[in-house]
Amino acid sequence: MRRLLSDAFRTLVPRGEERHGPLPPLMLILTVVTGLVDAVSYLALGHVFVANMTGNVVFLGFALAGDENLSALASVVAIMAFLLGALAGGKLGTRFALHRGHLLRTSTTVQTILVAVTMVVAAVSDRWVTPGVQYTLIVFLGLAMGLQNAVARRLGVPDLTTTVLTLTLTGLAADSTPAGGEAPRPGRRILSVLAMFLGVFVGAQLVLHGHLVLTLGLTLVLLAATSVTTHRLSTADAAWIRPQL
């Protein structure tokens, strides 16, 4: 068992990158959160994303071109909420520029609160997603995902953006040995993709079977656990809390 844990740690924290400490596994948990949240937004909130802004820009174009299955308003609201969340994440990044532990702890605490609001709203609506419920969830989840994306960017852990996999997949192929590259961090890149897939799959299973509140509750638990774990690991002498240049 000890050997398996050691091998898993080396996969997430390759030699020479110990400076990131526990951040890689914590960021993988946030990647699962992204999958859960986008499963909720796409399947329950009218074919819109709250984390994948590339998809929203595409959906917005489709909607404006006349696709009646998509809502231009929903895409615009999601994009605006995401931007506001990213703005808040940028401010947190400036405030905690010298302590990555405090940055991640604070951001995930705020995300937990935002998701808690969506959970209460969904529970009170008794699974009826009215326009009011729909846009409330889009706004609060969009804020949470924008915040997460900005903080992940500031934390600067390679290949763990938590919300975007395009560059991760590109690097996995373009930097591979067959392509003539050195194949850096292939295990972490693969785990990032699998974490997103896991979140989407579990979220879709729950939402499609009418468990919207449970999906949001699982998201809340993962965020709260990340916040508590980060707080406990952020000791004053931990090398990973310092910003990476």
Side-chain angles (χ1 to χ4, degrees), residues 212-238:
L212 174 59
V213 176
L214 180 58
T215 311
L216 293 170
L218 177 57
T219 303
L220 185 150
V221 168
L222 291 176
L223 288 169
T226 302
S227 181
V228 171
T229 302
T230 303
H231 174 70
R232 290 182 175 178
L233 295 176
S234 298
T235 58
D237 59 346

Side-chain angles (χ1 to χ4, degrees), residues 75-160:
S75 292
V76 170
V77 169
I79 292 171
M80 295 304 297
F82 185 92
L83 288 174
L84 287 174
L87 176 63
K91 287 183 175 294
L92 284 179
T94 300
R95 179 176 180 181
F96 298 112
L98 300 179
H99 200 303
R100 294 197 294 176
H102 289 173
L103 173 58
L104 182 58
R105 180 200 64 195
T106 304
S107 66
T108 49
T109 298
V110 174
Q111 284 183 270
T112 301
I113 296 170
L114 292 171
V115 173
V117 172
T118 68
M119 185 178 171
V120 171
V121 170
V124 171
S125 71
D126 194 25
R127 296 184 300 176
W128 289 99
V129 183
T130 63
V133 172
Q134 175 192 9
Y135 283 101
T136 299
L137 266 61
I138 288 175
V139 168
F140 280 86
L141 292 177
L143 288 169
M145 289 299 100
L147 175 64
Q148 178 176 303
N149 199 66
V151 168
R153 183 172 181 268
R154 183 61 66 96
L155 292 173
V157 182
D159 301 310
L160 289 175

Side-chain angles (χ1 to χ4, degrees), residues 38-51:
D38 262 345
V40 167
S41 64
Y42 185 82
L43 296 175
L45 304 181
H47 292 177
V48 65
F49 289 117
V50 293

Side-chain angles (χ1 to χ4, degrees), residues 42 46-48 58-60 62-63 67-72 75:
Y42 185 82
H47 292 177
V48 65
V58 172
F59 287 166
L60 178 58
F62 289 164
D67 189 335
E68 296 181 356
N69 295 316
L70 298 171
S71 168
S75 292

